[in-house]
Amino acid sequence: MGAGHSHRLYRHGHSPVHALPPHTKLAAVLAFVIVVVSTPREAMWAFGAYAVLLAAVAYAARVPAGFLLKRLLIEVPFVAFAVLLPFVAEGERVDVLGLSLSVNGLWGAWNVLAKGTLGVAASVLLAATTELRELLHGLQRLRLPPLLVQIASFMVRYGDVITDEMRRMRIARESRGFEARGTRHWGVLAKSAGALFIRSYERGERVHLAMVSRGYTGVVPVIDEVAASRAQWSYALALPCAALVVCLLGWTL
Amino acid sequence: MHAPDGFIDVPVSAAAGVLAAGAIAVSLRGARRELDDTARPGASGGAERTAPLAGLVAAFIFAVQMLNFPVAAGTSGHLLGGALAAILVGPYTGVLCVSVVLMLQSVLFADGGLTALGVNITTMAITTTVVAYALFRGLVKVLPRSRRSVTAASFVAALVSVPASAVVFTLLYTVGGTTDVSIGKVATAMVGVHVLIGLGEAAITALTVGAVIAVRPDLVHGARGLGQKLKLRVNGELVDAPETAEPVPAAARSPRKVWIAGLVTSLVLAGFVSFYASANPDGLEKVAADHGIDKQAEEHAVADSPLADYGVKDVDDARLSGGLAGVIGVGVTVVAGTGVFWAVRRRRAADERAEDTSPAGTSV
């Protein structure tokens, strides 16, 4: 539990991006995504510029392109949705390769694809260069309510425990010859889910009592406070600032 | 259903973000009260209970979303968990836990855009939980106090909560969508698909709530009234004999009631809802018609049947005719299905009787 664990998306390294304090990185990614989303979709070159900026960050963080591209697969459902847009949208239509497509729908598809991909890429880079615990500390430094951050950190810590519990229940079912094949078997699966809830809740009670007996009063003390220097802030915010310049150019040109 | 960045425009995303932040602030306060209330008499209640318990419940929701429920060959679905969380741990904790799951999914797994987080929390955490809980409370008040009505209420609550979240998403899309797809189309597609998803969600939620109630009714936030009744029975076991006599078996629900409820639901959905559904062709049919793809399409073999194209032949009003066709369709399906089921069961029973040579008393 804790320090040694890292999540699946994290990629250990010692690059300058890894070394930045987590809250500066969080703020930078959030600002970058906001800038990207508010760029007009007609400025196609601007999105290319954003992609170049992200590629520069990936290079600085020594995250290989293959790793990044593989993680981008998470947005496949939206690609499917975006492909549908030109067919169903309203407005004037244009003929492409014998298909009548809506101009507006094409723009909409481009909009969702470009902005969604850039947003996912930025999040993936953040997750790849920041450890889970640091990320939670960063959220707390950004003035999220401490209780919310604590709940999130408990979820992160016990997520694997609960998932493993569920896996053991599945193995137990399967080793007794059960195989869920259709809606008839929902009852069994739902009973497992119910048992999982009871076990999770009771584990929560035990964890709480164990923590109280060790002096927990509702706040987790932060022992490794990381303050960001001005240089680190400006280094991290270079990304959204460059993006902002591109965005302003996109609006004016 | 996680919306990505750039799907909803900036002002609406920001407004949804403010709404989500407000709801989370209220839920943080409410969750303390809820998790404190559920404390057993011996345990030391307090604000510090909230973090571990809510965190573990969030981990449970995260895990249970990975539990696959097979529907038919090859396809499977999973739980969304909003209604389940609301009923098991209360609405405030429910909103909080689902929001935390969404937040971590967006920050850690890049599932759902960062700027769309407000939209995602509004539709998937707040709407599902609040709608489900309001409906659940109302139904539990109206229905007789029993475990079965808690299960039934959670079925209905989960069933409605999923399309409700689709409706809210459509509203947000109407105000701030970045592509002008006609709202009717978005609404029809979203609500249609989500009624189906809602059916699965409802069945799983009701079964899960039933399973927890059977073992630890004190842990189910929505069944607190029942818990107190049980405690009385334990205290005066000899005195309250008539009360005790009331059986509380775990399952053993009469199939006839389930059957009738299912039939009524299908009839209502088929007859009444399709009455209001759009008479326009659906997206795929429309695309096909636009491109002339359907010119080659051969007429279906039963195109002349009285129910062809989901309308009754000699009824002119399109909506009435669609509704009637729905009702008749459900009727035929039910009769055919029941017939097959009945025949199979009779044969099996006959086989068992033939094979069964054991003495009486073992029959189930």
Side-chain angles (χ1 to χ4, degrees):
Chain A
M1 175 171 113
H5 287 208
S6 55
H7 56 98
R8 282 174 292 160
L9 286 178
Y10 180 66
R11 211 186 141 78
H12 188 67
H14 295 285
S15 75
V17 183
H18 281 82
L20 279 177
H23 52 288
T24 62
K25 279 189 275 189
L26 269 169
V29 167
L30 189 60
F32 175 77
V33 178
I34 290 175
V35 168
V36 167
V37 169
S38 42
T39 310
R41 59 190 183 185
E42 284 79 13
M44 282 186 159
W45 59 272
F47 295 101
Y50 294 143
V52 172
L53 282 176
L54 281 184
V57 175
Y59 178 76
R62 298 194 202 104
V63 175
F67 178 86
L68 195 57
L69 290 178
K70 221 187 296 167
R71 299 294 174 207
L72 282 182
L73 285 181
I74 192 150
E75 61 156 4
V76 163
F78 302 115
V79 176
F81 179 82
V83 168
L84 276 180
L85 273 178
F87 292 101
V88 296
E90 314 274 296
E92 59 172 304
R93 306 186 85 84
V94 62
D95 278 331
V96 182
L97 300 174
L99 291 174
S100 152
L101 302 174
S102 155
V103 176
N104 212 312
L106 282 174
W107 278 118
W110 156 251
N111 187 45
V112 171
L113 270 185
K115 291 177 178 175
T117 309
L118 286 169
V120 171
S123 299
V124 166
L125 275 178
L126 172 70
T129 57
T130 318
E131 243 181 284
L132 206 50
R133 206 173 57 95
E134 286 192 337
L135 213 50
L136 292 167
H137 273 173
L139 287 174
Q140 189 152 11
R141 294 273 309 174
L142 289 178
R143 299 292 159 81
L144 249 74
L147 188 56
L148 191 67
V149 178
Q150 268 191 55
I151 294 174
S153 69
F154 274 106
M155 184 204 139
V156 161
R157 276 187 199 139
Y158 287 94
D160 284 343
V161 177
I162 304 295
T163 316
D164 279 350
E165 188 120 49
M166 196 173 73
R167 197 173 46 85
R168 285 195 296 276
M169 287 160 91
R170 179 175 57 79
I171 291 173
R173 283 197 305 268
E174 283 173 2
S175 60
R176 284 159 180 78
F178 174 81
E179 189 192 346
R181 273 186 308 266
T183 43
R184 279 174 306 142
H185 301 114
W186 281 11
V188 176
L189 294 176
K191 284 197 180 70
S192 305
L196 187 67
F197 169 74
I198 294 169
R199 290 185 190 180
S200 311
Y201 198 90
E202 287 177 344
R203 189 187 290 272
E205 287 174 337
R206 287 199 304 276
V207 168
H208 167 243
L209 288 179
M211 288 177 69
V212 166
S213 65
R214 286 161 180 78
Y216 174 67
T217 54
V219 277
V220 176
V222 179
I223 41 176
D224 46 353
E225 186 76 28
V226 221
S229 69
R230 184 163 300 195
Q232 283 171 321
W233 268 114
S234 52
Y235 190 58
L237 291 182
L239 173 72
C241 288
L244 188 62
V245 172
V246 174
C247 176
L248 291 177
L249 281 176
W251 275 106
T252 49
L253 288 181
Chain B
M1 211 171 116
H2 294 63
D5 288 312
F7 204 77
I8 304 283
D9 68 4
V10 178
V12 176
S13 302
V18 171
L19 178 70
I24 288 177
V26 172
S27 308
L28 279 172
R29 200 161 299 164
R32 274 185 194 168
R33 220 171 32 241
E34 272 171 5
L35 293 174
D36 205 19
D37 273 355
T38 47
R40 274 172 295 170
S44 72
E48 79 272 16
R49 267 176 72 88
T50 314
L53 280 179
L56 265 292
V57 173
F60 161 72
I61 292 171
F62 184 70
V64 91
Q65 284 186 347
M66 289 189 251
L67 187 61
N68 268 320
F69 285 81
V71 178
T75 56
S76 63
H78 70 87
L79 206 60
L80 300 175
L84 184 64
I87 294 163
L88 285 182
V89 288
Y92 295 112
T93 319
V95 169
L96 209 54
C97 292
V98 182
S99 302
V100 166
V101 170
L102 288 173
M103 186 177 86
L104 287 179
Q105 275 172 345
S106 137
V107 175
L108 280 187
F109 303 107
D111 195 2
L114 273 181
T115 55
L117 188 57
V119 172
N120 284 333
I121 289 181
T122 308
T123 55
M124 283 190 278
I126 301 173
T127 312
T128 51
T129 315
V130 170
V131 167
Y133 195 72
L135 210 64
F136 177 80
R137 272 274 137 221
L139 280 175
V140 165
K141 276 224 174 80
V142 175
L143 294 171
R145 282 161 55 107
S146 73
R147 286 182 185 186
R148 204 171 294 157
S149 41
V150 171
T151 322
S154 39
F155 183 89
V156 178
L159 177 63
V160 177
S161 74
V162 179
S165 112
V167 167
V168 170
F169 182 84
T170 312
L171 281 180
L172 287 177
Y173 194 84
T174 315
V175 184
T178 48
T179 317
D180 60 342
V181 181
S182 82
I183 297 311
K185 258 183 220 168
V186 176
T188 321
M190 287 291 285
V191 175
V193 169
H194 285 89
V195 165
L196 282 182
I197 298 178
L199 274 175
E201 174 96 3
I204 302 167
T205 303
L207 286 169
T208 308
V209 169
V212 178
I213 284 187
V215 185
R216 287 284 304 267
D218 55 321
L219 287 192
V220 180
H221 185 271
R224 276 195 199 155
L226 297 177
Q228 281 161 2
K229 210 170 124 196
L230 285 176
K231 218 191 305 179
L232 270 178
R233 183 173 68 92
V234 173
N235 282 342
E237 209 171 69
L238 290 170
V239 187
D240 291 337
E243 288 275 312
T244 329
E246 193 181 316
V248 268
R253 31 185 111 94
S254 138
R256 185 176 299 161
K257 275 182 196 159
V258 176
W259 194 87
I260 290 172
L263 183 63
V264 169
T265 315
S266 336
L267 284 178
V268 165
L269 282 178
F272 182 71
V273 179
S274 72
F275 187 85
Y276 284 100
S278 156
N280 293 328
D282 69 24
L284 191 60
E285 284 178 34
K286 173 119 175 46
V287 173
D290 285 350
H291 305 308
I293 300 171
D294 59 352
K295 290 222 181 75
Q296 290 96 344
E298 285 177 30
E299 284 284 298
H300 196 270
V302 290
D304 272 339
S305 90
L307 292 181
D309 261 344
Y310 301 112
V312 178
K313 221 177 184 180
D314 295 322
V315 182
D316 287 333
D317 186 338
R319 291 189 155 167
L320 192 60
S321 139
L324 268 180
V327 171
I328 297 173
V330 168
V332 170
T333 314
V334 165
V335 168
T338 315
V340 170
F341 180 70
W342 190 65
V344 168
R345 200 168 59 170
R346 270 189 58 152
R347 176 171 302 170
R348 199 177 290 163
D351 287 351
E352 271 168 18
R353 229 174 292 137
E355 284 170 19
D356 196 11
T357 51
S358 58
T362 53
S363 66
V364 183

Short mmCIF file of all heavy atoms in Angstrom, two decimals, chain B residues 228-253:
data_model
loop_
_atom_site.label_atom_id
_atom_site.label_comp_id
_atom_site.label_asym_id
_atom_site.label_seq_id
_atom_site.Cartn_x
_atom_site.Cartn_y
_atom_site.Cartn_z
N GLN B 228 -35.01 -1.34 11.34
CA GLN B 228 -35.54 -1.13 12.68
C GLN B 228 -36.59 -2.17 13.02
O GLN B 228 -36.62 -2.69 14.13
CB GLN B 228 -36.13 0.26 12.78
CG GLN B 228 -35.05 1.31 12.97
CD GLN B 228 -35.53 2.69 12.63
OE1 GLN B 228 -36.69 2.88 12.28
NE2 GLN B 228 -34.64 3.66 12.71
N LYS B 229 -37.39 -2.53 12.05
CA LYS B 229 -38.42 -3.52 12.30
C LYS B 229 -37.79 -4.85 12.68
O LYS B 229 -38.21 -5.51 13.62
CB LYS B 229 -39.25 -3.69 11.02
CG LYS B 229 -40.68 -4.08 11.27
CD LYS B 229 -41.45 -3.96 9.99
CE LYS B 229 -42.12 -5.27 9.66
NZ LYS B 229 -42.56 -5.31 8.27
N LEU B 230 -36.70 -5.20 11.99
CA LEU B 230 -36.03 -6.45 12.31
C LEU B 230 -35.49 -6.44 13.73
O LEU B 230 -35.54 -7.42 14.43
CB LEU B 230 -34.90 -6.68 11.32
CG LEU B 230 -35.32 -7.12 9.94
CD1 LEU B 230 -34.12 -7.21 9.04
CD2 LEU B 230 -36.04 -8.45 10.02
N LYS B 231 -34.99 -5.29 14.17
CA LYS B 231 -34.38 -5.22 15.49
C LYS B 231 -35.43 -5.50 16.57
O LYS B 231 -35.18 -6.20 17.53
CB LYS B 231 -33.76 -3.84 15.69
CG LYS B 231 -32.46 -3.92 16.47
CD LYS B 231 -31.97 -2.57 16.90
CE LYS B 231 -31.80 -1.58 15.80
NZ LYS B 231 -31.33 -0.28 16.26
N LEU B 232 -36.62 -4.97 16.39
CA LEU B 232 -37.70 -5.23 17.34
C LEU B 232 -37.94 -6.73 17.48
O LEU B 232 -38.09 -7.24 18.56
CB LEU B 232 -38.99 -4.57 16.83
CG LEU B 232 -39.25 -3.15 17.27
CD1 LEU B 232 -40.52 -2.64 16.65
CD2 LEU B 232 -39.34 -3.09 18.79
N ARG B 233 -37.92 -7.38 16.41
CA ARG B 233 -38.19 -8.80 16.41
C ARG B 233 -37.12 -9.54 17.22
O ARG B 233 -37.41 -10.45 17.97
CB ARG B 233 -38.18 -9.31 14.97
CG ARG B 233 -38.52 -10.76 14.82
CD ARG B 233 -38.64 -11.10 13.36
NE ARG B 233 -37.35 -11.03 12.68
CZ ARG B 233 -36.54 -12.08 12.55
NH1 ARG B 233 -36.91 -13.24 13.02
NH2 ARG B 233 -35.40 -11.96 11.94
N VAL B 234 -35.87 -9.10 17.11
CA VAL B 234 -34.78 -9.77 17.83
C VAL B 234 -34.92 -9.54 19.31
O VAL B 234 -34.72 -10.44 20.12
CB VAL B 234 -33.42 -9.25 17.31
CG1 VAL B 234 -32.29 -9.79 18.17
CG2 VAL B 234 -33.24 -9.64 15.87
N ASN B 235 -35.33 -8.34 19.70
CA ASN B 235 -35.41 -8.03 21.12
C ASN B 235 -36.47 -8.86 21.83
O ASN B 235 -36.24 -9.39 22.91
CB ASN B 235 -35.74 -6.55 21.30
CG ASN B 235 -34.49 -5.71 21.08
OD1 ASN B 235 -33.39 -6.23 21.13
ND2 ASN B 235 -34.68 -4.43 20.82
N GLY B 236 -37.63 -8.96 21.24
CA GLY B 236 -38.71 -9.66 21.93
C GLY B 236 -39.14 -10.88 21.16
O GLY B 236 -40.24 -10.95 20.64
N GLU B 237 -38.25 -11.85 21.08
CA GLU B 237 -38.53 -12.96 20.21
C GLU B 237 -39.75 -13.75 20.68
O GLU B 237 -40.58 -14.15 19.89
CB GLU B 237 -37.32 -13.87 20.13
CG GLU B 237 -37.24 -14.60 18.79
CD GLU B 237 -35.92 -15.32 18.66
OE1 GLU B 237 -35.70 -16.30 19.38
OE2 GLU B 237 -35.10 -14.86 17.87
N LEU B 238 -39.85 -13.92 22.00
CA LEU B 238 -40.96 -14.71 22.51
C LEU B 238 -42.24 -13.88 22.55
O LEU B 238 -43.31 -14.37 22.27
CB LEU B 238 -40.64 -15.21 23.92
CG LEU B 238 -39.54 -16.29 23.95
CD1 LEU B 238 -39.10 -16.56 25.36
CD2 LEU B 238 -40.07 -17.56 23.29
N VAL B 239 -42.10 -12.60 22.91
CA VAL B 239 -43.27 -11.76 23.09
C VAL B 239 -43.94 -11.48 21.75
O VAL B 239 -45.14 -11.59 21.61
CB VAL B 239 -42.88 -10.45 23.78
CG1 VAL B 239 -44.12 -9.65 24.12
CG2 VAL B 239 -42.04 -10.73 25.02
N ASP B 240 -43.15 -11.12 20.76
CA ASP B 240 -43.71 -10.69 19.48
C ASP B 240 -43.87 -11.86 18.52
O ASP B 240 -43.49 -11.79 17.36
CB ASP B 240 -42.83 -9.62 18.84
CG ASP B 240 -42.89 -8.33 19.61
OD1 ASP B 240 -43.90 -8.14 20.31
OD2 ASP B 240 -41.96 -7.54 19.51
N ALA B 241 -44.41 -12.95 19.04
CA ALA B 241 -44.50 -14.15 18.21
C ALA B 241 -45.29 -13.93 16.93
O ALA B 241 -44.84 -14.34 15.86
CB ALA B 241 -45.10 -15.29 19.02
N PRO B 242 -46.47 -13.27 16.97
CA PRO B 242 -47.21 -13.08 15.72
C PRO B 242 -46.41 -12.28 14.70
O PRO B 242 -46.42 -12.58 13.52
CB PRO B 242 -48.47 -12.32 16.15
CG PRO B 242 -48.51 -12.38 17.63
CD PRO B 242 -47.17 -12.74 18.12
N GLU B 243 -45.69 -11.27 15.23
CA GLU B 243 -44.86 -10.46 14.33
C GLU B 243 -43.78 -11.33 13.72
O GLU B 243 -43.46 -11.24 12.56
CB GLU B 243 -44.21 -9.31 15.12
CG GLU B 243 -45.19 -8.23 15.52
CD GLU B 243 -45.36 -7.22 14.42
OE1 GLU B 243 -44.34 -6.76 13.87
OE2 GLU B 243 -46.52 -6.91 14.09
N THR B 244 -43.20 -12.17 14.59
CA THR B 244 -42.09 -13.01 14.14
C THR B 244 -42.53 -13.98 13.06
O THR B 244 -41.75 -14.33 12.19
CB THR B 244 -41.53 -13.81 15.32
OG1 THR B 244 -41.71 -13.04 16.50
CG2 THR B 244 -40.07 -14.13 15.12
N ALA B 245 -43.80 -14.36 13.19
CA ALA B 245 -44.27 -15.39 12.26
C ALA B 245 -44.19 -14.92 10.82
O ALA B 245 -44.16 -15.74 9.90
CB ALA B 245 -45.71 -15.78 12.60
N GLU B 246 -44.16 -13.62 10.65
CA GLU B 246 -44.10 -13.11 9.27
C GLU B 246 -42.79 -13.56 8.62
O GLU B 246 -41.71 -13.24 9.12
CB GLU B 246 -44.17 -11.59 9.29
CG GLU B 246 -44.43 -11.01 7.93
CD GLU B 246 -44.47 -9.50 8.00
OE1 GLU B 246 -45.10 -8.97 8.94
OE2 GLU B 246 -43.86 -8.86 7.14
N PRO B 247 -42.87 -14.33 7.59
CA PRO B 247 -41.64 -14.89 7.03
C PRO B 247 -40.86 -13.83 6.25
O PRO B 247 -41.43 -12.94 5.62
CB PRO B 247 -42.16 -15.98 6.08
CG PRO B 247 -43.52 -15.51 5.68
CD PRO B 247 -44.07 -14.68 6.82
N VAL B 248 -39.55 -13.93 6.35
CA VAL B 248 -38.70 -13.03 5.56
C VAL B 248 -37.70 -13.87 4.75
O VAL B 248 -36.51 -13.81 4.98
CB VAL B 248 -37.96 -12.02 6.45
CG1 VAL B 248 -38.76 -10.76 6.59
CG2 VAL B 248 -37.65 -12.62 7.81
N PRO B 249 -38.20 -14.68 3.85
CA PRO B 249 -37.28 -15.49 3.06
C PRO B 249 -36.51 -14.60 2.07
O PRO B 249 -36.98 -13.53 1.70
CB PRO B 249 -38.19 -16.45 2.30
CG PRO B 249 -39.49 -15.73 2.20
CD PRO B 249 -39.59 -14.83 3.40
N ALA B 250 -35.34 -15.07 1.69
CA ALA B 250 -34.49 -14.25 0.84
C ALA B 250 -35.09 -14.10 -0.56
O ALA B 250 -35.31 -13.00 -1.02
CB ALA B 250 -33.11 -14.88 0.74
N ALA B 251 -35.37 -15.21 -1.19
CA ALA B 251 -35.85 -15.10 -2.57
C ALA B 251 -37.30 -15.52 -2.65
O ALA B 251 -38.16 -14.88 -2.08
CB ALA B 251 -34.98 -15.95 -3.47
N ALA B 252 -37.57 -16.59 -3.31
CA ALA B 252 -38.90 -17.20 -3.38
C ALA B 252 -39.96 -16.21 -3.78
O ALA B 252 -40.99 -16.09 -3.16
CB ALA B 252 -39.27 -17.85 -2.04
N ARG B 253 -39.68 -15.40 -4.82
CA ARG B 253 -40.77 -14.55 -5.26
C ARG B 253 -41.59 -15.30 -6.31
O ARG B 253 -41.08 -16.10 -7.06
CB ARG B 253 -40.25 -13.23 -5.82
CG ARG B 253 -38.92 -13.24 -6.47
CD ARG B 253 -38.58 -11.82 -6.83
NE ARG B 253 -37.50 -11.29 -6.03
CZ ARG B 253 -36.24 -11.33 -6.41
NH1 ARG B 253 -35.90 -11.84 -7.56
NH2 ARG B 253 -35.30 -10.82 -5.66
#
